[in-house]
Amino acid sequence: MKKHVVCFGDSNTHGYCAKTGGRFDESQRWTCLLQKKLGDQWLILEEGLSGRTTTFDDPIHEALSGLDYVYPCLMSHEPVDLLIIMLGTNDTKERFGASAECIALGLKRLISKAVSTTDCWKNGRPSILIVTPQNIDKRYETSEVGGTMGKGCAEKSQKLAEEYKKIADLTGCAYLDANQVVTAEPNNVDFMHLTEEGHRQLAEALSEIIPEILSCDTTL
């Protein structure tokens, strides 16, 4: 059986393209590029949902809490070799009233739920990679999404890397800060979604780190 890698994220995992309002195609999304780079012995499973949070219920849109969906997601893809979690951008929205520290605690709770889904893991050993998403550029405030995102999102997103690293160390998860590998700036429409080049750079970095994680049997 192929190695199953579940990519659990939000619109940047789904592949939202801010310039078109649609979705990057299979030659552009980081998940699909990762599949091509890793090859036929791997199965990269796209589980990106626009608006998804770590644990917060959105008062405007339903079913966006990652905590509520991670169990059926993992069980539907078992046996899972690796779970990649890249969330947090939506958690910074002003309507949630959460600091970077609180968002990180939400991530910790999500990790615990994933680990406790014992029947999904190949050989019963959970393996999780936490990816801090690319920071939101402060210029988002003047874009069309500025009003719905609210104030303070850029500042909170810039603190996530430090907080997420603490959680990764505490829970024994592998860790990657996308800001260290994605040098392409966010798009100039909403200033928070990956560009096509950003997708390419993220896929390149993950294609190198994922085999190392599994070869080292990074488990919780």
Side-chain angles (χ1 to χ4, degrees):
M1 185 177 290
K2 297 180 179 182
K3 293 182 175 64
H4 290 194
V5 178
V6 177
C7 303
F8 193 74
D10 51 31
S11 52
N12 271 321
T13 298
H14 182 72
Y16 177 76
C17 177
K19 288 189 175 181
T20 65
R23 189 183 189 188
F24 284 115
D25 66 30
E26 289 77 7
S27 69
Q28 299 167 309
R29 297 197 297 271
W30 70 261
T31 46
C32 298
L33 295 173
L34 180 61
Q35 175 70 77
K36 292 177 182 178
K37 289 179 178 296
L38 291 178
D40 293 338
Q41 296 304 308
W42 299 77
L43 181 60
I44 306 302
L45 298 151
E46 297 179 299
E47 283 288 353
L49 176 64
S50 295
R52 178 176 284 151
T53 66
T54 55
T55 60
F56 298 110
D57 290 317
D58 196 310
I60 299 175
H61 306 287
E62 62 181 287
L64 295 182
S65 168
L67 187 69
D68 293 340
Y69 181 63
V70 72
Y71 174 84
C73 174
L74 290 173
M75 289 304 297
S76 67
H77 295 304
E78 65 90 17
V80 175
D81 291 86
L82 178 67
L83 170 65
I84 300 175
I85 300 176
M86 187 169 75
L87 290 169
T89 299
N90 293 298
D91 300 61
T92 67
K93 292 173 180 175
E94 187 176 17
R95 61 179 177 265
F96 294 128
S99 64
E101 291 83 354
C102 287
I103 294 170
L105 289 177
L107 173 66
K108 180 175 179 287
R109 187 179 177 196
L110 179 62
I111 292 169
S112 296
K113 182 71 171 290
V115 171
S116 70
T117 309
T118 53
D119 290 342
C120 81
W121 298 105
K122 186 175 182 179
N123 299 321
R125 296 195 298 269
S127 184
I128 300 174
L129 167 61
I130 302 304
V131 179
T132 298
Q134 186 178 31
N135 294 340
I136 300 172
D137 190 296
K138 190 171 176 58
R139 289 174 289 176
Y140 86 92
E141 293 181 351
T142 61
S143 74
E144 291 185 356
V145 303
T148 54
M149 291 293 294
K151 301 294 184 181
C153 301
E155 290 80 2
K156 284 185 280 189
S157 74
Q158 291 166 8
K159 296 179 181 179
L160 288 181
E162 179 182 356
E163 297 302 322
Y164 276 19
K165 181 62 166 62
K166 295 176 184 176
I167 297 300
D169 290 343
L170 179 66
T171 56
C173 294
Y175 176 75
L176 175 67
D177 179 5
N179 296 285
Q180 300 301 313
V181 298
V182 177
T183 58
E185 292 189 359
N187 70 81
N188 58 9
V189 178
D190 61 23
F191 301 98
M192 66 180 66
H193 285 98
L194 293 167
T195 61
E196 182 177 349
E197 176 62 11
H199 276 265
R200 187 196 66 78
Q201 292 176 339
L202 182 58
E204 181 67 35
L206 288 171
S207 70
E208 296 177 1
I209 191 174
I210 288 173
E212 294 179 1
I213 292 171
L214 293 183
S215 67
C216 294
D217 193 26
T218 302
T219 57
L220 299 170

